[in-house]
């Protein structure tokens, strides 16, 4: 890690996070690291991989709860956090989405799951290492949100190393955030991103209309944005990772509609 980071001109912690799967590099970063290692990245066009369709078939036979468990096992790796003295990065606790979702649900927070994990629950084969949630913006709900996040030991996530940053975890703080703001947090159970109005959407009130309720653990039921809404938001973002994921997500939505006409991608158990 030290030598590769030196050759690429990036922090060692960046290499560490990519290596253990807690950061997905951009194409530019991947090319930079590959060149530093003495190789070359080549990108080209290819026909759709039939193996992906086969994998979709297998995943769609599983329940959303089973898909979440599979995703947790796949990404349940140590996270890189800053050493107490600020020195080299070290391994932290693993990614536990059920723990985060349970904390929010038990605190009575009204929220929707969006982003990569929502896509996973719909049957996507992509890997995600954080949760993206959209909370309702009413004052009482924001107070409950603050309670849940304090219980999870939430703090502001910084680039490269997960160092504690000043964070007033309160309803007043959340009310002060702009509607389009994205709050990137790290918790004792993994990374959690909050947004009130994801790109391409009208926020909680808009997304809840087509959301599906699922059970992620006994007695823990959450709302998940529809796959069509997940796609709508990623289209609006238009980032590099979104452009890579969108063809696969659209194909998944087509497969679901072909196999279950008129039914949602995620069905409540």
């Amino acid at each position: 890690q030290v030598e590769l980071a030196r050759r690429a001109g990036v922090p060692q912690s960046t290499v560490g996070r990519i290596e253990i799967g807690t950061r997905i590099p951009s194409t530019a970063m991947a090319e930079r690291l590959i060149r530093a290692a003495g190789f070359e990245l080549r990108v080209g066009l290819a026909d759709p991989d039939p193996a992906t369709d086969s994998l979709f078939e297998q995943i769609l036979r599983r329940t959303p709860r089973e898909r979440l468990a599979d995703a947790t096992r796949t990404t349940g790796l140590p996270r890189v956090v800053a050493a107490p003295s600020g020195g080299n990065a070290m391994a932290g606790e693993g990614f536990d989405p059920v723990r985060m979702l349970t904390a929010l649900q038990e605190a009575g927070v009204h929220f929707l799951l969006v982003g990569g994990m929502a896509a996973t629950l719909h049957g996507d084969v992509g890997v995600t290492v954080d949760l993206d949630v959209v909370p309702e913006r009413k004052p009482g709900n924001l107070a409950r949100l603050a309670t849940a996040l304090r219980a999870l030991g939430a703090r502001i996530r910084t680039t490269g190393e997960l160092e504690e940053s000043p964070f007033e975890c309160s309803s007043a703080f959340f009310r002060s955030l702009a509607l389009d703001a994205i709050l990137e947090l790290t918790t004792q159970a993994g990374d959690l991103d909050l947004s009130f109005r994801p790109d391409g959407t009208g926020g909680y009130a808009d997304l809840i209309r087509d959301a599906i309720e699922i059970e992620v653990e006994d007695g823990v039921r959450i709302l998940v944005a529809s796959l069509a809404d997940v796609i709508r938001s990623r289209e609006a973002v238009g980032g590099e990772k979104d452009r890579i994921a969108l063809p696969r997500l659209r194909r998944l939505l087509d497969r679901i509609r072909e196999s279950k006409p008129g039914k949602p991608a995620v069905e409540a158990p």
Side-chain angles (χ1 to χ4, degrees), residues 124-141:
D124 185 30
V125 298
V127 175
T128 186
V129 292
D130 63 8
L131 291 185
D132 298 281
V133 303
V134 177
E136 187 180 36
R137 203 179 164 90
K138 293 181 178 179
N141 193 58

Side-chain angles (χ1 to χ4, degrees), residues 7-255:
R7 292 183 182 182
V10 300
Q12 181 187 346
S13 57
T14 297
V15 178
R17 285 171 62 82
I18 293 172
E19 184 177 282
I20 65 174
T22 59
R23 174 174 173 177
I24 300 174
S26 66
T27 301
M29 175 61 75
E31 183 175 18
R32 185 174 182 177
L33 293 172
I34 289 168
R35 285 186 180 277
F39 298 95
E40 181 179 345
L41 176 65
R42 297 181 181 179
V43 180
L45 299 176
D47 292 329
D49 186 357
T52 300
D53 278 352
S54 176
L55 191 53
F56 278 154
E57 282 188 26
Q58 295 176 42
I59 293 174
L60 290 174
R61 284 196 290 267
R62 301 177 69 76
T63 66
R65 184 170 175 173
E66 290 170 333
R67 295 170 200 164
L68 178 60
D70 290 342
T72 304
R73 282 192 292 270
T74 301
T75 59
L77 301 169
R79 294 180 295 119
V80 173
V81 299
S85 62
N88 292 330
M90 62 184 182
E93 296 183 40
F95 178 52
D96 188 351
V98 172
R99 180 180 171 189
M100 289 187 276
L101 294 170
T102 299
L104 293 170
Q105 193 263 359
E106 288 182 345
V109 180
H110 297 166
F111 72 96
L112 288 150
L113 183 66
V114 297
M117 190 57 76
T120 294
L121 293 180
H122 284 288
D124 185 30
V125 298
V127 175
T128 186
V129 292
D130 63 8
L131 291 185
D132 298 281
V133 303
V134 177
E136 187 180 36
R137 203 179 164 90
K138 293 181 178 179
N141 193 58
L142 296 181
R144 294 189 291 271
L145 174 64
T147 298
L149 292 177
R150 286 195 296 269
L152 287 168
R155 51 194 197 279
I156 300 288
R157 190 164 80 244
T158 58
T159 303
E161 296 179 349
L162 302 183
E163 298 175 336
E164 185 172 350
S165 195
F167 174 39
E168 181 197 347
C169 191
S170 67
S171 176
F173 172 80
F174 293 126
R175 288 199 304 273
S176 73
L177 296 175
L179 277 175
D180 295 328
I182 298 175
L183 184 62
E184 297 181 334
L185 303 172
T186 187
T187 78
Q188 296 165 356
D191 291 346
L192 176 69
D193 292 348
L194 296 178
S195 61
F196 293 108
R197 189 169 61 191
D199 288 345
T201 78
Y204 183 87
D206 172 26
L207 293 168
I208 198 172
R209 291 180 298 186
D210 294 322
I212 303 298
E213 184 183 64
I214 68 166
E215 188 173 61
V216 297
E217 193 168 75
D218 290 343
V220 180
R221 303 182 72 86
I222 66 167
L223 291 173
V224 180
S226 71
L227 182 56
D229 282 339
V230 171
I231 292 172
R232 170 165 59 115
S233 182
R234 299 201 73 159
E235 287 173 337
V237 174
E240 189 169 16
K241 290 191 292 185
D242 304 292
R243 290 193 295 270
I244 292 171
L246 278 168
R248 185 182 71 242
L249 294 177
R250 293 183 186 119
R251 178 57 184 151
L252 171 61
L253 185 58
D254 288 343
R255 289 297 302 270

